[in-house]
Amino acid sequence: MDTSSVFDSKDSSCKTPYGAVPCGTEVHFTLRPPRSEGFCSCTLVAVHEFANQRQEILLPFLPDEGDRSVFSGTFQAPAEPELVWYSFAFDRPGSPRTLLGRGGYSGDDALDSFQLTVYEPNHTPDWFGRGVTYQIFPDRFFRTSIPDPAGMPGDRIVHQRWDEAMEYLPDESGEVRNRDFFGGSLAGVEKKLDYLKSLGVGTIYFCPIFEADSNHRYNTGDYEKIDPMLGTEEDFRRLCEKAHSLGLRIMLDGVFNHTGSNSRYFNANGTYPDLGAVQSMESPYYPWYAFFHWPERYDAWWGVRTLPAVNETHPTYMEYIIRGGDSIIRRWLRAGADAWRLDVADELPDDFIAQIREVMMEEKPDSFLLGEVWEDGSNKIAYDQRRKYLLGRETHGLMNYPFRVAALEYLRGGRAEDFMEAMETIRENHPRPAFYSAMNLLGTHDTPRVLTMLGTCPKEAPATRTERAHYRMSPEERDKGSRLLQAGAVLLYAFPGSPTVFYGDEAGMEGWEDPFNRGTYPWGREDPVLQRRFALLGRLRRERLSLQTGDLRWLHAQGPVLAFARDGEGETTVAAVNAGPEAVCLDLPWSAPLAVDALTEQRFLASEGAVRLTLPPRDAVLLI
């Protein structure tokens, strides 16, 4: 049964304020069941998850509204951050209680409760969510010369040609070692800062840049050193200084759940002079790891032996990474970084994350902390524990993978209604500062290239790694993918949160999963149509304050057509997307006499408070 007319948590006539609330806020509830139901009372049932408390609050009976009974009252949000799961219990004489939750009426307690996120309203830097983020996989972006791997950790192979195919098959031990390098460097990124600026980029997010013997560098060898193939600490400082002079900020990838087995801390290969955990139980690093049988059996991230897991709560590890006067968090902020992204945040203890934020605020009060979480981080359960990422003491924002999932489902033939519903759930559950500080994305180093996902739909990925390695989209697939990506980019750049581009998506790079999504940037062979679209959207995002901080207002969501407005700073911007294969006519409310598509400069006359559009197939407009 549709009970939205009884209570809709997203409707201001039923609940205010909207969505998540700061601690101590008064939340007003109003319910309007049909008078024919005969309910004589209504009780708010609120379960405080972290405090393990249950409240029942009787909502007073107000005068009827037509054929509706009205119950209305106030709930005081707790003084500490909390997840409150609430429902309503209706009583009628001589009958069992009727419960109302997100799924409608129920006769028992096994109902889906509404979520109220209660957060501590601490400072969230607003620069991240306002601007465009560009993710760089450092080895594959740009090189200034072919490096010599002699003396560097690990058995590195360097490709002589920038456009060579990467290695992807397992070695004789059955492992993909990721030891082939192309030689992208920090100096290479510095040479391309003007290009990034032309795309409207405000933040560069680097995949790991610390010393490690793999091309992805998620198996850290030394947190204190820049990988020698990327450059030196001096190169990093110079890059940050130049980026800052252009108005760009730098986000580093913090991989603190595990190290590499070939690291100064574990030192399985004896590469480092330090006494590693494998060499001796007397090593200062030995307590960081959990050995089942020293030295050959130990806890490793998802069982990958080259990634031994660390005990993040050990005092000496906390001191080294976070609390010490020259901790890893502090020293790289001092060197010029403006933000940290926490790899696999699900596997980091809440207190570990909270202490990182605390130290960041001490060291650089306007720095930003982002977490990698693939689901709705407001209610995520990891390892049987409800997480507190967004309650005001841990991350400022999260990677918005739910946006990617919903956007790709929509662009690949799904319903606009489903995209809207998925994003409304995120908007309702997340504190407003976190929602506007989300890292919105269509692809990353951990997902297939978005162009491939859009162009090949509905075809499945080839079955074998060799087939996927050599797969290239047909001209028809590339055309379809390009058109949908141009439309999807409008959705990405117009939505609240930081629009994030994985390097080369704007150039038309294709590829399936890792490592095929990590090719070298095709300098001189970019897709000019896609590149122009991303550059234009970047400029508009930088210029239009409504796109940076404006409120979100849905205008249309039906079938292949989605339209929403961003209102703020005295202006309105409207995005309208048609993901379908046929042209669609659409009327949108418009108060001015004229609307202009900022993408094409086409002008539309408004009549009687509306503007009529014909949206071409797999296309979008951005009205100003």
Side-chain angles (χ1 to χ4, degrees):
M1 177 187 296
D2 181 11
T3 55
S4 59
S5 62
V6 178
F7 178 79
D8 181 351
S9 62
K10 301 178 180 67
D11 187 337
S12 61
S13 70
C14 297
K15 173 183 173 288
T16 57
Y18 175 89
V21 298
C23 296
T25 301
E26 286 191 348
V27 184
H28 303 279
F29 294 100
T30 301
L31 293 89
R32 298 176 177 84
R35 196 167 47 188
S36 59
E37 294 282 3
F39 296 136
C40 62
S41 69
C42 176
T43 301
L44 169 69
V45 181
V47 176
H48 302 230
E49 178 163 349
F50 300 122
N52 193 26
Q53 295 177 348
R54 176 187 172 98
Q55 279 182 281
E56 292 201 3
I57 301 171
L58 187 66
L59 303 182
F61 205 149
L62 299 185
D64 292 351
E65 294 179 1
D67 62 352
R68 297 277 173 167
S69 300
V70 181
F71 301 90
S72 187
T74 300
F75 168 76
Q76 182 86 33
E80 288 292 311
E82 184 62 271
L83 278 187
V84 178
W85 303 98
Y86 68 92
S87 57
F88 303 96
F90 291 104
D91 292 294
R92 59 165 69 91
S95 298
R97 270 188 160 184
T98 298
L99 305 179
L100 177 64
R102 286 199 306 176
Y105 287 130
S106 173
D108 55 50
D109 288 332
L111 82 167
D112 189 6
S113 297
F114 297 97
Q115 176 181 330
L116 177 65
T117 306
V118 181
Y119 65 96
E120 190 172 308
N122 292 323
H123 170 65
T124 294
D126 70 350
W127 57 262
F128 180 75
R130 283 177 175 265
V132 177
T133 301
Y134 192 87
Q135 181 187 359
I136 291 179
F137 193 82
D139 184 59
R140 310 289 163 81
F141 185 61
F142 186 72
R143 72 181 180 189
T144 57
S145 61
I146 301 174
D148 180 359
M152 297 182 186
D155 301 320
R156 305 188 184 203
I157 300 169
V158 176
H159 293 269
Q160 298 302 297
R161 292 202 334 268
W162 186 247
D163 60 352
E164 286 179 2
M166 68 194 76
E167 294 189 359
Y168 63 90
L169 291 174
D171 62 13
E172 62 277 3
S173 302
E175 294 186 62
V176 178
R177 306 295 289 180
N178 295 299
R179 298 293 171 81
D180 63 318
F181 291 77
F182 286 85
S185 65
L186 297 181
V189 176
E190 184 180 344
K191 282 187 175 294
K192 296 298 182 180
L193 286 178
D194 287 335
Y195 167 68
L196 298 179
K197 183 70 175 179
S198 75
L199 292 177
V201 172
T203 302
I204 299 171
Y205 155 41
F206 280 111
C207 290
I209 62 173
F210 303 123
E211 183 171 272
D213 63 7
S214 70
N215 54 45
H216 56 70
R217 300 185 176 94
Y218 281 93
N219 57 332
T220 311
D222 190 342
Y223 291 108
E224 298 179 32
K225 292 175 62 179
I226 301 294
D227 189 86
M229 196 168 282
L230 291 176
T232 64
E233 183 171 336
E234 182 182 351
D235 293 326
F236 177 74
R237 288 176 177 270
R238 187 177 62 248
L239 170 63
C240 291
E241 185 177 349
K242 177 70 178 297
H244 292 158
S245 72
L246 294 173
L248 281 73
R249 289 180 167 90
I250 303 296
M251 174 181 285
L252 294 181
D253 212 333
V255 186
F256 301 132
N257 165 263
H258 51 268
T259 67
S261 58
N262 185 24
S263 66
R264 61 179 285 196
Y265 319 103
F266 201 76
N267 214 4
N269 299 349
T271 301
Y272 292 85
D274 298 60
L275 193 65
V278 166
Q279 275 82 45
S280 171
M281 293 184 185
E282 300 303 315
S283 166
Y285 309 121
Y286 174 80
W288 293 6
Y289 303 95
F291 287 93
F292 307 129
H293 188 277
W294 183 82
E296 70 276 4
R297 293 178 55 226
Y298 48 86
D299 184 23
W301 183 75
W302 286 43
V304 180
R305 287 183 54 79
T306 55
L307 301 176
V310 298
N311 174 11
E312 300 95 342
T313 60
H314 192 275
T316 62
Y317 187 73
M318 296 271 280
E319 186 77 6
Y320 179 71
I321 296 294
I322 308 172
R323 294 194 298 231
D326 194 30
S327 68
I328 299 305
I329 294 295
R330 294 184 193 274
R331 68 174 293 161
W332 293 108
L333 289 175
R334 292 170 186 167
D338 305 282
W340 282 98
R341 176 259 194 189
L342 297 180
D343 184 58
V344 293
D346 290 346
E347 306 188 34
L348 299 173
D350 282 313
D351 185 57
F352 187 86
I353 299 175
Q355 291 203 38
I356 289 178
R357 173 162 169 165
E358 183 178 333
V359 165
M360 289 176 66
M361 296 303 98
E362 291 174 4
E363 195 65 44
K364 187 176 284 190
D366 205 37
S367 58
F368 187 87
L369 182 61
L370 182 85
E372 180 198 14
V373 178
W374 285 59
E375 301 82 13
D376 181 349
S378 72
N379 54 34
K380 175 69 186 286
I381 295 176
Y383 298 93
D384 299 321
Q385 181 182 358
R386 185 81 69 179
R387 304 309 302 269
K388 301 179 180 180
Y389 309 117
L390 299 179
L391 297 186
R393 297 174 184 172
E394 297 186 23
T395 58
H396 293 112
L398 301 174
M399 299 181 76
N400 196 354
Y401 276 100
F403 175 90
R404 174 185 179 270
V405 170
L408 288 184
E409 286 182 353
Y410 162 58
L411 293 168
R412 284 159 56 95
R415 304 188 320 150
E417 299 95 317
D418 296 333
F419 174 84
M420 180 181 72
E421 180 61 28
M423 290 302 96
E424 276 298 284
T425 298
I426 295 293
R427 181 161 72 130
E428 184 178 21
N429 289 349
H430 287 216
R432 182 182 172 93
F435 182 71
Y436 278 77
S437 296
M439 177 185 271
N440 296 337
L441 46 91
L442 294 174
T444 71
H445 64 292
D446 285 326
T447 66
R449 285 280 174 176
V450 61
L451 186 65
T452 297
M453 292 291 290
L454 296 176
T456 60
C457 178
K459 186 162 59 178
E460 296 290 332
T464 69
R465 287 177 69 85
T466 297
E467 289 175 311
R468 296 196 294 277
H470 295 286
Y471 188 92
R472 296 295 179 270
M473 288 191 289
S474 67
E476 293 76 18
E477 288 174 332
R478 280 197 69 90
D479 179 69
K480 175 185 175 184
S482 176
R483 291 176 65 85
L484 284 172
L485 180 51
Q486 290 177 67
V490 174
L491 176 60
L492 176 69
Y493 277 69
F495 206 76
S498 178
T500 301
V501 180
F502 186 38
Y503 80 103
D505 278 348
E506 85 284 7
M509 289 181 66
E510 59 178 282
W512 298 102
E513 83 290 355
D514 162 28
F516 313 119
N517 57 353
R518 302 175 181 181
T520 54
Y521 189 100
W523 298 107
R525 296 178 286 110
E526 299 94 334
D527 182 317
V529 175
L530 281 173
Q531 207 168 38
R532 284 195 297 270
R533 172 58 59 93
F534 277 86
L536 174 57
L537 288 170
R539 177 176 64 79
L540 292 168
R541 179 77 185 209
R542 186 175 63 245
E543 293 174 353
R544 295 194 63 77
L545 297 179
S546 57
L547 290 179
Q548 297 175 24
T549 61
D551 290 333
L552 173 65
R553 178 166 50 95
W554 300 100
L555 302 177
H556 186 91
Q558 186 173 354
V561 180
L562 177 72
F564 59 89
R566 299 290 307 281
D567 304 306
E569 306 290 346
E571 67 180 28
T572 293
T573 306
V574 170
V577 181
N578 175 17
E582 307 292 339
V584 175
C585 291
L586 180 66
D587 290 333
L588 293 174
W590 197 260
S591 58
L594 190 68
V596 179
D597 178 13
L599 305 177
T600 62
E601 297 187 357
Q602 184 178 359
R603 295 168 179 265
F604 303 91
L605 289 174
S607 176
E608 298 180 352
V611 62
R612 168 158 289 191
L613 309 173
T614 299
L615 287 174
R618 295 168 182 154
D619 206 348
V621 298
L622 198 65
L623 299 182
I624 62 176

PDB file of all heavy atoms in Angstrom, residues 447-453 468 471-473 508-518:
ATOM      1  N   THR A 447      37.529   0.566 -11.399  1.00  0.00           N
ATOM      2  CA  THR A 447      36.349   0.216 -12.198  1.00  0.00           C
ATOM      3  C   THR A 447      36.701   0.254 -13.684  1.00  0.00           C
ATOM      4  O   THR A 447      37.658   0.919 -14.077  1.00  0.00           O
ATOM      5  CB  THR A 447      35.197   1.210 -11.945  1.00  0.00           C
ATOM      6  OG1 THR A 447      35.575   2.506 -12.444  1.00  0.00           O
ATOM      7  CG2 THR A 447      34.878   1.311 -10.457  1.00  0.00           C
ATOM      8  N   PRO A 448      35.935  -0.435 -14.520  1.00  0.00           N
ATOM      9  CA  PRO A 448      36.148  -0.301 -15.962  1.00  0.00           C
ATOM     10  C   PRO A 448      35.964   1.142 -16.409  1.00  0.00           C
ATOM     11  O   PRO A 448      35.259   1.928 -15.758  1.00  0.00           O
ATOM     12  CB  PRO A 448      35.066  -1.208 -16.567  1.00  0.00           C
ATOM     13  CG  PRO A 448      34.731  -2.179 -15.487  1.00  0.00           C
ATOM     14  CD  PRO A 448      34.887  -1.418 -14.198  1.00  0.00           C
ATOM     15  N   ARG A 449      36.603   1.492 -17.505  1.00  0.00           N
ATOM     16  CA  ARG A 449      36.448   2.837 -18.061  1.00  0.00           C
ATOM     17  C   ARG A 449      34.982   3.098 -18.382  1.00  0.00           C
ATOM     18  O   ARG A 449      34.267   2.241 -18.916  1.00  0.00           O
ATOM     19  CB  ARG A 449      37.289   2.975 -19.327  1.00  0.00           C
ATOM     20  CG  ARG A 449      38.774   3.106 -19.054  1.00  0.00           C
ATOM     21  CD  ARG A 449      39.127   4.511 -18.643  1.00  0.00           C
ATOM     22  NE  ARG A 449      40.522   4.643 -18.237  1.00  0.00           N
ATOM     23  CZ  ARG A 449      41.088   5.782 -17.902  1.00  0.00           C
ATOM     24  NH1 ARG A 449      40.373   6.905 -17.911  1.00  0.00           N
ATOM     25  NH2 ARG A 449      42.353   5.823 -17.549  1.00  0.00           N
ATOM     26  N   VAL A 450      34.542   4.320 -18.072  1.00  0.00           N
ATOM     27  CA  VAL A 450      33.131   4.659 -18.251  1.00  0.00           C
ATOM     28  C   VAL A 450      32.756   4.615 -19.730  1.00  0.00           C
ATOM     29  O   VAL A 450      31.630   4.215 -20.078  1.00  0.00           O
ATOM     30  CB  VAL A 450      32.818   6.026 -17.623  1.00  0.00           C
ATOM     31  CG1 VAL A 450      33.617   7.149 -18.252  1.00  0.00           C
ATOM     32  CG2 VAL A 450      31.325   6.324 -17.717  1.00  0.00           C
ATOM     33  N   LEU A 451      33.648   4.997 -20.629  1.00  0.00           N
ATOM     34  CA  LEU A 451      33.334   4.960 -22.061  1.00  0.00           C
ATOM     35  C   LEU A 451      33.046   3.531 -22.498  1.00  0.00           C
ATOM     36  O   LEU A 451      32.124   3.272 -23.282  1.00  0.00           O
ATOM     37  CB  LEU A 451      34.490   5.549 -22.869  1.00  0.00           C
ATOM     38  CG  LEU A 451      34.241   5.709 -24.365  1.00  0.00           C
ATOM     39  CD1 LEU A 451      33.136   6.730 -24.630  1.00  0.00           C
ATOM     40  CD2 LEU A 451      35.528   6.138 -25.086  1.00  0.00           C
ATOM     41  N   THR A 452      33.816   2.582 -21.989  1.00  0.00           N
ATOM     42  CA  THR A 452      33.589   1.171 -22.313  1.00  0.00           C
ATOM     43  C   THR A 452      32.259   0.696 -21.748  1.00  0.00           C
ATOM     44  O   THR A 452      31.494  -0.021 -22.424  1.00  0.00           O
ATOM     45  CB  THR A 452      34.737   0.314 -21.760  1.00  0.00           C
ATOM     46  OG1 THR A 452      35.958   0.703 -22.402  1.00  0.00           O
ATOM     47  CG2 THR A 452      34.498  -1.169 -22.000  1.00  0.00           C
ATOM     48  N   MET A 453      31.960   1.084 -20.523  1.00  0.00           N
ATOM     49  CA  MET A 453      30.709   0.674 -19.900  1.00  0.00           C
ATOM     50  C   MET A 453      29.498   1.194 -20.671  1.00  0.00           C
ATOM     51  O   MET A 453      28.478   0.500 -20.799  1.00  0.00           O
ATOM     52  CB  MET A 453      30.654   1.194 -18.460  1.00  0.00           C
ATOM     53  CG  MET A 453      31.663   0.545 -17.527  1.00  0.00           C
ATOM     54  SD  MET A 453      31.282  -1.184 -17.196  1.00  0.00           S
ATOM     55  CE  MET A 453      29.812  -1.026 -16.192  1.00  0.00           C
ATOM     56  N   ARG A 468      39.862  -9.387 -23.121  1.00  0.00           N
ATOM     57  CA  ARG A 468      39.596  -8.048 -22.611  1.00  0.00           C
ATOM     58  C   ARG A 468      40.783  -7.114 -22.860  1.00  0.00           C
ATOM     59  O   ARG A 468      40.600  -5.922 -23.117  1.00  0.00           O
ATOM     60  CB  ARG A 468      39.253  -8.105 -21.118  1.00  0.00           C
ATOM     61  CG  ARG A 468      37.963  -8.872 -20.832  1.00  0.00           C
ATOM     62  CD  ARG A 468      37.417  -8.607 -19.454  1.00  0.00           C
ATOM     63  NE  ARG A 468      38.278  -9.091 -18.386  1.00  0.00           N
ATOM     64  CZ  ARG A 468      38.315 -10.330 -17.935  1.00  0.00           C
ATOM     65  NH1 ARG A 468      37.531 -11.255 -18.497  1.00  0.00           N
ATOM     66  NH2 ARG A 468      39.113 -10.667 -16.941  1.00  0.00           N
ATOM     67  N   TYR A 471      40.528  -6.041 -26.522  1.00  0.00           N
ATOM     68  CA  TYR A 471      39.239  -5.546 -27.000  1.00  0.00           C
ATOM     69  C   TYR A 471      39.301  -4.054 -27.305  1.00  0.00           C
ATOM     70  O   TYR A 471      39.819  -3.260 -26.515  1.00  0.00           O
ATOM     71  CB  TYR A 471      38.149  -5.800 -25.952  1.00  0.00           C
ATOM     72  CG  TYR A 471      36.756  -5.496 -26.452  1.00  0.00           C
ATOM     73  CD1 TYR A 471      35.980  -6.482 -27.041  1.00  0.00           C
ATOM     74  CD2 TYR A 471      36.223  -4.216 -26.352  1.00  0.00           C
ATOM     75  CE1 TYR A 471      34.700  -6.207 -27.509  1.00  0.00           C
ATOM     76  CE2 TYR A 471      34.951  -3.926 -26.811  1.00  0.00           C
ATOM     77  CZ  TYR A 471      34.195  -4.929 -27.398  1.00  0.00           C
ATOM     78  OH  TYR A 471      32.941  -4.649 -27.863  1.00  0.00           O
ATOM     79  N   ARG A 472      38.793  -3.679 -28.450  1.00  0.00           N
ATOM     80  CA  ARG A 472      38.640  -2.274 -28.794  1.00  0.00           C
ATOM     81  C   ARG A 472      37.227  -2.073 -29.312  1.00  0.00           C
ATOM     82  O   ARG A 472      36.724  -2.869 -30.126  1.00  0.00           O
ATOM     83  CB  ARG A 472      39.651  -1.839 -29.855  1.00  0.00           C
ATOM     84  CG  ARG A 472      41.109  -1.917 -29.421  1.00  0.00           C
ATOM     85  CD  ARG A 472      41.403  -0.947 -28.282  1.00  0.00           C
ATOM     86  NE  ARG A 472      42.796  -1.033 -27.855  1.00  0.00           N
ATOM     87  CZ  ARG A 472      43.242  -1.848 -26.912  1.00  0.00           C
ATOM     88  NH1 ARG A 472      42.398  -2.670 -26.308  1.00  0.00           N
ATOM     89  NH2 ARG A 472      44.513  -1.861 -26.571  1.00  0.00           N
ATOM     90  N   MET A 473      36.584  -1.025 -28.864  1.00  0.00           N
ATOM     91  CA  MET A 473      35.209  -0.779 -29.268  1.00  0.00           C
ATOM     92  C   MET A 473      35.123  -0.499 -30.763  1.00  0.00           C
ATOM     93  O   MET A 473      36.026   0.113 -31.346  1.00  0.00           O
ATOM     94  CB  MET A 473      34.625   0.392 -28.481  1.00  0.00           C
ATOM     95  CG  MET A 473      34.348   0.071 -27.033  1.00  0.00           C
ATOM     96  SD  MET A 473      33.368   1.377 -26.215  1.00  0.00           S
ATOM     97  CE  MET A 473      34.577   2.676 -26.113  1.00  0.00           C
ATOM     98  N   GLY A 508      38.755  10.132 -24.000  1.00  0.00           N
ATOM     99  CA  GLY A 508      38.181   8.996 -24.706  1.00  0.00           C
ATOM    100  C   GLY A 508      38.893   7.683 -24.463  1.00  0.00           C
ATOM    101  O   GLY A 508      38.808   6.766 -25.297  1.00  0.00           O
ATOM    102  N   MET A 509      39.567   7.518 -23.319  1.00  0.00           N
ATOM    103  CA  MET A 509      40.226   6.249 -23.028  1.00  0.00           C
ATOM    104  C   MET A 509      39.189   5.163 -22.763  1.00  0.00           C
ATOM    105  O   MET A 509      38.138   5.419 -22.182  1.00  0.00           O
ATOM    106  CB  MET A 509      41.170   6.396 -21.837  1.00  0.00           C
ATOM    107  CG  MET A 509      42.417   7.213 -22.150  1.00  0.00           C
ATOM    108  SD  MET A 509      43.544   7.375 -20.739  1.00  0.00           S
ATOM    109  CE  MET A 509      44.069   5.663 -20.515  1.00  0.00           C
ATOM    110  N   GLU A 510      39.506   3.957 -23.202  1.00  0.00           N
ATOM    111  CA  GLU A 510      38.625   2.827 -22.976  1.00  0.00           C
ATOM    112  C   GLU A 510      39.386   1.707 -22.285  1.00  0.00           C
ATOM    113  O   GLU A 510      40.617   1.759 -22.173  1.00  0.00           O
ATOM    114  CB  GLU A 510      38.029   2.323 -24.289  1.00  0.00           C
ATOM    115  CG  GLU A 510      39.052   1.870 -25.323  1.00  0.00           C
ATOM    116  CD  GLU A 510      38.385   1.343 -26.593  1.00  0.00           C
ATOM    117  OE1 GLU A 510      37.905   0.196 -26.570  1.00  0.00           O
ATOM    118  OE2 GLU A 510      38.354   2.082 -27.587  1.00  0.00           O
ATOM    119  N   GLY A 511      38.672   0.684 -21.829  1.00  0.00           N
ATOM    120  CA  GLY A 511      39.319  -0.445 -21.170  1.00  0.00           C
ATOM    121  C   GLY A 511      38.419  -1.060 -20.124  1.00  0.00           C
ATOM    122  O   GLY A 511      37.609  -0.382 -19.503  1.00  0.00           O
ATOM    123  N   TRP A 512      38.602  -2.373 -19.938  1.00  0.00           N
ATOM    124  CA  TRP A 512      37.823  -3.082 -18.921  1.00  0.00           C
ATOM    125  C   TRP A 512      38.471  -2.883 -17.555  1.00  0.00           C
ATOM    126  O   TRP A 512      39.085  -1.864 -17.308  1.00  0.00           O
ATOM    127  CB  TRP A 512      37.679  -4.563 -19.298  1.00  0.00           C
ATOM    128  CG  TRP A 512      36.932  -4.768 -20.591  1.00  0.00           C
ATOM    129  CD1 TRP A 512      37.456  -5.058 -21.816  1.00  0.00           C
ATOM    130  CD2 TRP A 512      35.513  -4.647 -20.789  1.00  0.00           C
ATOM    131  NE1 TRP A 512      36.466  -5.131 -22.764  1.00  0.00           N
ATOM    132  CE2 TRP A 512      35.261  -4.896 -22.175  1.00  0.00           C
ATOM    133  CE3 TRP A 512      34.429  -4.368 -19.954  1.00  0.00           C
ATOM    134  CZ2 TRP A 512      33.984  -4.869 -22.718  1.00  0.00           C
ATOM    135  CZ3 TRP A 512      33.150  -4.354 -20.500  1.00  0.00           C
ATOM    136  CH2 TRP A 512      32.936  -4.600 -21.857  1.00  0.00           C
ATOM    137  N   GLU A 513      38.383  -3.883 -16.686  1.00  0.00           N
ATOM    138  CA  GLU A 513      38.825  -3.704 -15.298  1.00  0.00           C
ATOM    139  C   GLU A 513      40.354  -3.622 -15.203  1.00  0.00           C
ATOM    140  O   GLU A 513      41.078  -3.838 -16.174  1.00  0.00           O
ATOM    141  CB  GLU A 513      38.269  -4.839 -14.432  1.00  0.00           C
ATOM    142  CG  GLU A 513      39.056  -6.148 -14.453  1.00  0.00           C
ATOM    143  CD  GLU A 513      38.979  -6.934 -15.757  1.00  0.00           C
ATOM    144  OE1 GLU A 513      38.239  -6.542 -16.671  1.00  0.00           O
ATOM    145  OE2 GLU A 513      39.662  -7.964 -15.864  1.00  0.00           O
ATOM    146  N   ASP A 514      40.843  -3.340 -13.995  1.00  0.00           N
ATOM    147  CA  ASP A 514      42.270  -3.310 -13.688  1.00  0.00           C
ATOM    148  C   ASP A 514      42.946  -4.574 -14.231  1.00  0.00           C
ATOM    149  O   ASP A 514      42.471  -5.676 -13.987  1.00  0.00           O
ATOM    150  CB  ASP A 514      42.408  -3.227 -12.158  1.00  0.00           C
ATOM    151  CG  ASP A 514      43.781  -3.615 -11.640  1.00  0.00           C
ATOM    152  OD1 ASP A 514      44.767  -3.454 -12.365  1.00  0.00           O
ATOM    153  OD2 ASP A 514      43.858  -4.067 -10.473  1.00  0.00           O
ATOM    154  N   PRO A 515      44.043  -4.434 -15.007  1.00  0.00           N
ATOM    155  CA  PRO A 515      44.796  -3.212 -15.284  1.00  0.00           C
ATOM    156  C   PRO A 515      44.408  -2.511 -16.589  1.00  0.00           C
ATOM    157  O   PRO A 515      45.053  -1.542 -16.971  1.00  0.00           O
ATOM    158  CB  PRO A 515      46.231  -3.738 -15.393  1.00  0.00           C
ATOM    159  CG  PRO A 515      46.065  -5.065 -16.075  1.00  0.00           C
ATOM    160  CD  PRO A 515      44.767  -5.627 -15.513  1.00  0.00           C
ATOM    161  N   PHE A 516      43.354  -2.989 -17.256  1.00  0.00           N
ATOM    162  CA  PHE A 516      43.044  -2.472 -18.591  1.00  0.00           C
ATOM    163  C   PHE A 516      42.477  -1.054 -18.550  1.00  0.00           C
ATOM    164  O   PHE A 516      42.418  -0.374 -19.573  1.00  0.00           O
ATOM    165  CB  PHE A 516      42.086  -3.422 -19.304  1.00  0.00           C
ATOM    166  CG  PHE A 516      42.507  -4.863 -19.209  1.00  0.00           C
ATOM    167  CD1 PHE A 516      41.690  -5.798 -18.601  1.00  0.00           C
ATOM    168  CD2 PHE A 516      43.749  -5.265 -19.677  1.00  0.00           C
ATOM    169  CE1 PHE A 516      42.090  -7.114 -18.481  1.00  0.00           C
ATOM    170  CE2 PHE A 516      44.154  -6.582 -19.571  1.00  0.00           C
ATOM    171  CZ  PHE A 516      43.327  -7.518 -18.972  1.00  0.00           C
ATOM    172  N   ASN A 517      42.062  -0.626 -17.377  1.00  0.00           N
ATOM    173  CA  ASN A 517      41.574   0.747 -17.206  1.00  0.00           C
ATOM    174  C   ASN A 517      42.706   1.710 -16.861  1.00  0.00           C
ATOM    175  O   ASN A 517      42.458   2.888 -16.607  1.00  0.00           O
ATOM    176  CB  ASN A 517      40.515   0.796 -16.099  1.00  0.00           C
ATOM    177  CG  ASN A 517      41.038   0.272 -14.767  1.00  0.00           C
ATOM    178  OD1 ASN A 517      42.135  -0.248 -14.677  1.00  0.00           O
ATOM    179  ND2 ASN A 517      40.244   0.407 -13.722  1.00  0.00           N
ATOM    180  N   ARG A 518      43.943   1.225 -16.839  1.00  0.00           N
ATOM    181  CA  ARG A 518      45.077   2.024 -16.373  1.00  0.00           C
ATOM    182  C   ARG A 518      46.115   2.231 -17.471  1.00  0.00           C
ATOM    183  O   ARG A 518      47.321   2.202 -17.227  1.00  0.00           O
ATOM    184  CB  ARG A 518      45.717   1.363 -15.151  1.00  0.00           C
ATOM    185  CG  ARG A 518      44.746   1.162 -13.996  1.00  0.00           C
ATOM    186  CD  ARG A 518      45.367   0.399 -12.841  1.00  0.00           C
ATOM    187  NE  ARG A 518      44.400   0.191 -11.755  1.00  0.00           N
ATOM    188  CZ  ARG A 518      44.676  -0.435 -10.618  1.00  0.00           C
ATOM    189  NH1 ARG A 518      45.895  -0.915 -10.410  1.00  0.00           N
ATOM    190  NH2 ARG A 518      43.742  -0.580  -9.689  1.00  0.00           N
TER     191      ARG A 518
END
